[in-house]
Amino acid sequence: MATLRKEQRFPATRRRPPADGFDRRLIAPMVLGSVLNPVNSSMIAVALVPIGAALGAPPAQTAWLVSGLYLATAVGQPVIGRLVDMYGPRRLYLIGTALVGAAGLLGALAPNLGSLVAARVLLGFGTSAAYPAAMHLTRSEAERTGHDSPAGVLTALAIGSQTVAVVGPTLGGVLIGLGGWRTVFLVNVPLSLACLVLGARRLPSGPAARRTGKSVDLPGMALFAALLVAMMLFLMEPGAGLWYLPVLAAFAGAAFALRELRVPDPFIDLRVLGGNIPLLATFVRQLLAYTTAYGVLYGYTQWLEEGRGLHAATAGLVLLPLSLSALVVSGVTGRREAVRGKLVVGALVQAAGCTGLLLADSGSAVWLLVALGVVMGVPQGLNGLANQTALYRQADPARMGSAAGLLRTFMYLGAMAASAADAAFFPHGAHTGGLHHLALFMLACSALLLAATLLDRSLRTTTPTPVPGKA
């Protein structure tokens, strides 16, 4: 019987994994699939202007190419993550990466902006499968081997996404130079094919037990989507004229809570989640950390061009050390979990960087602007990795995929909050006064992040979750 189960999980067409260690053949499809979302998030930044010029669309309309992907991903990550938990990672990984290829073709052939937005939404859903699948695989490998040592794998996922975020705009510029803005969509076709080949050859099939005895909570997923979309649409353009969106979000949230507390197999088990205070705190820390991270990415970048008067290319070079310092910090610290220490240092350095932004003005030397970027890169290399590791330790193993999806959802909520803050503090352009107000807002977020870390006693005892077969 044991042999039969192993054969179901690892068919003869795929080489059996090592019995006493993480199957390193899984790392390539896990990392490649997980970078599909950040590469599409970052490449589009350099394509907005040529798309607007080609299709006669103003910036207010092309902005939906960014927001559409964020909305789809924020909803799709936990929904698809739950399906990963129920049906296994391989099937959802292959379906998701196939959608990425289809979205790439749709975007490359799109005749108008509406079709492009639809392609970006499809990209958002398609790229939502790989990260929950990767986290699920990391946990299942620990259960299979009886050895829990995911630090290197988790670091590889984090560094892969950060690296792509660095090179994404550059890659997008090269592609546009070679074949126009449609190549930014078309490049998803070979990436999708590579994921499909690697996934089909290397990812294990899920146990049959995961595909029986559970029902998909479609009403719960629909209510969750309505709650999230209404809330994020309001965050994108907050104003009295959109008062109905928070009301809709409140009604959807109440209906969602009632639904999830009554059904036997809910989409999100609020009873378990409500009792898991450390995991809830991790979601809050993710929101606070990425509100500041995206505030810097959006607000500081705009100020460099408008308030400081730098050319877009020069502003990009000034920001490059920020991304590089994040990569270096992740690489150096990745093998040591030290969740609490990373979050404390990350929050303190983030606060220091926000304080430094208060000193910046239209006459600041370029070396100071570069130094500020380097400082702000340090928490980006610490906070995301620490929260990812904390979630791995705190989440219910049976719901690892949906928990990982929720972590990404809170990251995008931070992006939306940062975007709303930028709109509030830069109403008539990214001037120095607005930057200083944004810095104070981010300083408050950093203080809350530090408090949420220091007050969480569970982080002092965060230890590897027991895995079956391990003494």
Side-chain angles (χ1 to χ4, degrees):
M1 182 62 71
T3 301
L4 178 59
R5 288 176 180 171
K6 288 183 179 179
E7 288 176 352
Q8 289 175 339
R9 183 174 173 84
F10 299 98
T13 55
R14 289 187 290 277
R15 189 181 68 186
R16 294 178 184 274
D20 58 350
F22 191 94
D23 185 4
R24 306 191 73 82
R25 298 176 76 248
L26 299 176
I27 294 178
M30 286 167 59
V31 173
L32 182 58
S34 295
V35 303
L36 290 176
N37 188 272
V39 75
N40 279 287
S41 297
S42 56
M43 282 195 305
I44 197 67
V46 295
L48 294 177
V49 172
I51 288 174
L55 302 180
Q61 293 181 11
T62 58
W64 279 101
L65 295 171
V66 177
S67 302
L69 184 136
Y70 277 165
L71 285 168
T73 305
V75 173
Q77 290 269 359
V79 170
I80 297 177
R82 180 59 181 145
L83 297 178
V84 167
D85 291 331
M86 295 176 65
Y87 297 98
R90 185 172 185 268
R91 179 183 298 182
L92 273 301
Y93 179 97
L94 294 177
I95 292 173
T97 51
L99 284 178
V100 171
L105 282 176
L106 175 61
L109 301 174
N112 52 50
L113 185 64
S115 300
L116 277 184
V117 173
R120 291 284 292 178
V121 170
L122 190 60
L123 272 175
F125 284 116
T127 58
S128 292
Y131 180 70
M135 292 293 286
H136 184 103
L137 282 166
T138 302
R139 179 65 199 183
S140 63
E141 279 294 283
E143 294 176 351
R144 181 185 65 81
T145 63
H147 295 282
D148 188 72
S149 55
V153 178
L154 296 178
T155 302
L157 291 174
I159 291 180
S161 296
Q162 289 173 354
T163 301
V164 166
V166 173
V167 304
T170 303
L171 174 62
V174 171
L175 291 173
I176 292 171
L178 291 174
W181 60 263
R182 293 184 185 274
T183 57
V184 171
F185 289 86
L186 193 61
V187 72
N188 285 288
V189 176
L191 291 175
S192 170
L193 290 175
C195 288
L196 287 171
V197 171
L198 287 170
R201 292 178 61 86
R202 298 187 178 186
L203 297 186
S205 300
R210 281 201 184 116
R211 297 193 290 267
T212 60
K214 293 183 179 180
S215 59
V216 179
D217 181 18
L218 292 178
M221 291 178 176
L223 288 169
F224 175 80
L227 161 66
L228 206 58
V229 170
M231 183 168 55
M232 295 185 74
L233 285 175
F234 182 76
L235 285 175
M236 286 163 54
E237 292 185 68
L242 299 177
W243 60 268
Y244 58 89
L245 288 176
V247 174
L248 177 60
F251 276 109
F256 173 72
L258 290 174
R259 163 79 188 180
E260 300 305 276
L261 290 172
R262 292 180 178 179
V263 297
D265 189 32
F267 162 48
I268 297 176
D269 195 336
L270 296 181
R271 298 182 190 89
V272 174
L273 185 62
N276 193 342
I277 301 302
L279 182 58
L280 292 175
T282 294
F283 290 147
V284 172
R285 285 190 292 268
Q286 183 83 340
L287 171 65
L288 292 170
Y290 277 94
T291 297
T292 299
Y294 279 103
V296 172
L297 179 64
Y298 298 151
Y300 187 49
T301 302
Q302 291 181 61
W303 177 81
L304 286 174
E305 296 183 38
E306 294 186 41
R308 179 58 178 79
L310 299 180
H311 187 273
T314 306
L317 290 176
V318 169
L319 286 174
L320 184 60
L322 183 153
S323 300
L324 293 178
S325 68
L327 289 174
V328 170
V329 169
S330 293
V332 170
T333 65
R335 296 246 171 216
R336 291 177 56 86
E337 291 199 356
V339 171
R340 187 172 186 270
K342 288 179 180 178
L343 289 169
V344 169
V345 173
L348 289 173
V349 176
Q350 193 167 271
C354 293
T355 303
L357 290 177
L358 294 173
L359 304 176
D361 57 37
S362 58
S364 294
V366 172
W367 68 264
L368 175 61
L369 306 179
V370 171
L372 287 173
V374 172
V375 171
M376 295 305 295
V378 172
Q380 291 193 25
L382 293 173
N383 294 334
L385 183 56
N387 285 326
Q388 179 180 256
T389 303
L391 175 129
Y392 179 84
R393 300 304 185 195
Q394 296 162 344
D396 178 3
R399 289 177 173 266
M400 184 61 71
S402 55
L406 280 172
L407 188 71
R408 283 287 182 95
T409 294
F410 276 87
M411 180 181 80
Y412 287 118
L413 285 174
M416 292 293 104
S419 180
D422 288 346
F425 296 127
F426 296 149
H428 306 295
H431 304 303
T432 299
L435 176 68
H436 290 169
H437 286 104
L438 177 64
L440 290 172
F441 169 76
M442 295 189 296
L443 186 59
C445 290
S446 302
L448 290 174
L449 175 61
L450 180 61
T453 302
L454 294 176
L455 295 175
D456 189 352
R457 295 184 178 181
S458 69
L459 294 178
R460 301 177 183 179
T461 57
T462 299
T463 57
T465 307
V467 294
K470 185 174 178 64

